[in-house]
Amino acid sequence: MILTEQEKAEVEANRRRYEQHKALGQQQAPKALPPPTPRDGAPIAADAIIHRETVPGGWYYVTKLGRGEAVRIINTSGTSCVSIQAWNALDPSERLNHADTIKVQWAASLRKGRVILSDMGRALLSIIEDTSGAHDTMVGGSNAATNAARYGAGNFRNTRDNFVLAAGKLGLDRRDVHPSIAFFAPVAVDSQGRFEWHGERRHQGDFVDLRAELDLLIAVSNCPHPLDPSPSYAPGDIDLIRYQASQLAADDLCRTVSLEAKRAFENNAFYLAGAAGRA
Amino acid sequence: MTAIPASARIVLDTVIPARVPWSAIIRKGQTLRIVDSHGQQAVDTLFYAASDFGERYSGQDTLRAQGSAYVTTGTRIMSTEGRTMLRMVADSCGLHDTSAGACSCESNTVRFGHQTKYLHACRENFVLEAAKHGLSKRDIVPNLNFFMNVPLDPDGNFTVVDGVSKPGDYVEMIAEMDVLCLISNCPQVNNPCNGFFPTPIQVVIYEAGED
Ligand SMILES: [Zn+2]
């Protein structure tokens, strides 16, 4: 394609803008992300706790999470993997978008300080505490076929079916089941792009705290990750603690850590102001 | 570019202009060829089972089945139900992404600043094209990006960088079920996925002839 001089100038201007933007996104912001939360750290005040639940291995859990509430997901056995789905409770066509989450933040790895974005350019969940940083955004959960391939014949619960069940109970259906993010799933890629499993990065008592930034519907599936090489299907229980998080402050880590997160929270503010206006 | 065999029956041969969406049904056994006519043009692509649009492309299942973060010859393009929708049988480029999803007006505001909200984007294309088949935004899932270069390093850094596709580079997939294919010929000019200058692509659907 032969470009005119003016088109060439536009291309160069666009490229310069991108290079500046990339430098900001990758170098200046994020400012140093915090270290992982210690496994014996970040206690939850007793009067902030709304609900506790133990989800048995293989099972799923559905809840509504009001804006400002958080859920702590605890890997009590140390061998569990927890996949999640999230939808805007007022309009479930807005949902967790793993692709935007990693692309916009220039990072396939999630850890304390990162946000989970919706397909509408808003922050759905903030990762306000996280002991491990060993999570998977690339490969997602198990299904009947991956279980059969790993464990052979048998009736093993899987994440895909759990999410279809969860969606059904929320009045949604399998069209609403979308790619998921899997916590406590230590998936990495090597220099060739091949997936690796780093089981040693999971520890008993690991937890991650997700704070809802809009009123949300949440589904959680507690099934082994499809890349978990363990030949036996033996998912452990997980504990969930739903609690009232502290007020979202102007200097909140998750909304100031990068320019991208800041803009996502600005989009939340525009949306919430509009929602209040309609009420 | 390897020529399409003279014995093949061409079902469709069309040019998709820069920035424009397109869709068609590809029947089981037919081959879909997507040609990056001018090079460095991201081709955002989605598939739905023609018999049940509730079964659709799954990037995560595709990567898991592939065992790696990229898509190339030999990749099975997987559905949400864990079935192979198409098999990639030729790839003259070698670098395609299925982790970064499509651009949208909304994600552009977060990625590039609020001033980019009113720029045409792939999800606008997908929603318009999907609507012709009775589908809606709810049905738009993260897609395949042919000819888009998204290196992922072992530290988890993730960027969109200059595409490596040259004029005429192409991919070919054989459908293993009847599929609806949606394409958005990506209009993005805020990152290098289109060399900052969106260009036309060519799509050919053909059936192998009798030898
Ligand atoms: Zn695009």
Side-chain angles (χ1 to χ4, degrees):
Chain A
M1 181 139 286
I2 311 287
L3 303 189
T4 65
E5 288 306 313
Q6 190 191 336
E7 287 166 343
K8 282 185 198 160
E10 279 172 31
V11 165
E12 277 320 301
N14 286 338
R15 178 177 296 283
R16 272 196 307 277
R17 206 177 56 237
Y18 178 71
E19 293 302 332
Q20 288 167 356
H21 172 74
K22 182 173 165 181
L24 280 171
Q26 291 194 307
Q27 294 156 26
Q28 297 169 34
K31 302 169 294 195
L33 282 161
T37 312
R39 272 190 293 282
D40 60 354
I44 303 171
D47 62 357
I49 293 176
I50 300 164
H51 179 72
R52 279 176 185 271
E53 182 126 355
T54 296
V55 180
W59 278 85
Y60 64 98
Y61 177 74
V62 179
T63 191
K64 292 187 178 178
L65 210 57
R67 181 165 65 95
E69 291 175 5
V71 63
R72 172 167 295 185
I73 305 171
I74 307 169
N75 193 355
T76 40
S77 69
T79 57
S80 294
C81 161
V82 180
S83 301
I84 66 159
Q85 302 264 285
W87 301 265
N88 179 337
L90 290 177
D91 172 8
S93 79
E94 177 175 9
R95 66 272 310 261
L96 182 159
N97 189 301
H98 81 302
D100 283 353
T101 296
I102 60 186
K103 173 175 62 185
V104 167
Q105 297 180 98
W106 309 88
S109 53
L110 291 179
R111 49 185 288 193
K112 179 176 176 175
R114 292 296 190 188
V115 292
I116 295 172
L117 296 170
S118 79
D119 63 312
M120 294 297 282
R122 292 187 272 261
L124 286 187
L125 292 157
S126 293
I127 302 176
I128 57 174
E129 303 291 350
D130 176 23
T131 63
S132 79
H135 312 303
D136 164 46
T137 54
M138 303 286 287
V139 171
S142 61
N143 59 36
T146 65
N147 274 356
R150 176 74 67 197
Y151 311 111
N155 195 9
F156 307 109
R157 301 190 63 94
N158 69 78
T159 285
R160 167 78 188 167
D161 288 345
N162 279 347
F163 284 150
V164 173
L165 287 163
K169 291 184 180 180
L170 292 165
L172 306 173
D173 72 26
R174 81 198 221 277
R175 291 166 61 202
D176 299 293
V177 175
H178 44 272
S180 56
I181 287 173
F183 294 102
F184 317 122
V187 175
V189 294
D190 68 13
S191 56
Q192 308 300 307
R194 289 180 300 249
F195 295 122
E196 295 175 332
W197 180 263
H198 291 272
E200 76 285 359
R201 295 185 193 161
R202 279 191 308 192
H203 302 94
Q204 190 167 28
D206 271 337
F207 61 86
V208 61
D209 288 21
L210 305 175
R211 181 182 64 209
E213 304 298 354
L214 298 173
D215 290 346
L216 299 180
L217 309 172
I218 300 278
V220 169
S221 170
N222 176 19
C223 290
H225 191 275
L227 298 186
D228 186 334
S230 171
S232 57
Y233 183 89
D237 296 351
I238 57 166
D239 282 341
L240 302 178
I241 304 175
R242 187 171 139 223
Y243 66 96
Q244 188 62 50
S246 51
Q247 202 74 31
L248 181 66
D251 64 347
D252 185 272
L253 168 73
C254 292
R255 79 163 158 193
T256 57
V257 77
S258 71
L259 294 172
E260 289 80 11
K262 178 173 169 284
R263 289 191 290 264
F265 275 93
E266 286 164 358
N267 285 343
N268 282 41
F270 299 149
Y271 176 76
L272 291 166
R278 283 198 302 274
Chain B
M1 184 171 10
T2 310
I4 293 169
S7 57
R9 186 177 81 82
I10 306 289
V11 177
L12 182 130
D13 183 346
T14 192
V15 169
I16 306 177
R19 303 180 181 83
V20 165
W22 171 91
S23 63
I25 300 277
I26 299 149
R27 298 289 170 196
K28 181 177 178 180
Q30 293 179 341
T31 299
L32 168 68
R33 173 182 287 206
I34 303 174
V35 184
D36 187 357
S37 309
H38 301 272
Q40 291 198 321
Q41 174 60 39
V43 181
D44 291 44
T45 307
L46 280 172
F47 298 102
Y48 299 80
S51 60
D52 171 11
F53 291 159
E55 177 175 2
R56 67 272 309 261
Y57 175 68
S58 170
Q60 290 189 327
D61 286 284
T62 298
L63 290 187
R64 192 204 58 247
Q66 169 77 353
S68 100
Y70 307 107
V71 171
T72 186
T73 304
T75 298
R76 289 182 292 145
I77 293 172
M78 304 295 288
S79 78
T80 48
E81 308 299 322
R83 299 201 295 159
T84 303
M85 305 185 88
L86 305 98
R87 259 183 312 111
M88 218 163 143
V89 292
D91 173 17
S92 71
C93 169
L95 273 179
H96 312 280
D97 161 76
T98 192
S99 301
C103 60
S104 69
C105 296
E106 293 77 17
S107 70
N108 280 349
T109 68
V110 185
R111 295 173 73 193
F112 304 117
H114 297 297
Q115 79 282 358
T116 58
K117 182 173 175 187
Y118 297 105
L119 289 178
H120 191 45
C122 281
R123 202 174 61 201
E124 308 287 299
N125 279 343
F126 278 143
V127 171
L128 279 172
E129 201 63 32
K132 295 178 184 171
H133 303 277
L135 299 167
S136 72
K137 166 181 170 291
R138 179 183 172 205
D139 299 291
I140 308 299
V141 290
N143 56 285
L144 254 164
N145 293 304
F146 291 111
F147 312 112
M148 185 157 126
N149 189 3
V150 185
L152 175 66
D153 73 22
D155 292 329
N157 292 309
F158 189 90
T159 56
V160 179
V161 301
D162 286 36
V164 300
S165 53
K166 298 170 295 301
D169 269 339
Y170 69 103
V171 290
E172 281 193 343
M173 289 152 274
I174 295 182
E176 296 214 345
M177 61 172 78
D178 291 358
V179 293
L180 167 66
C181 174
L182 257 55
I183 283 178
S184 166
N185 192 13
C186 181
Q188 182 64 264
V189 291
N190 289 290
N191 76 35
C193 66
N194 302 322
F196 301 100
F197 192 84
T199 48
I201 58 168
Q202 181 192 11
V203 171
V204 184
I205 302 172
Y206 67 91
E207 287 172 353
E210 302 293 316
D211 286 323

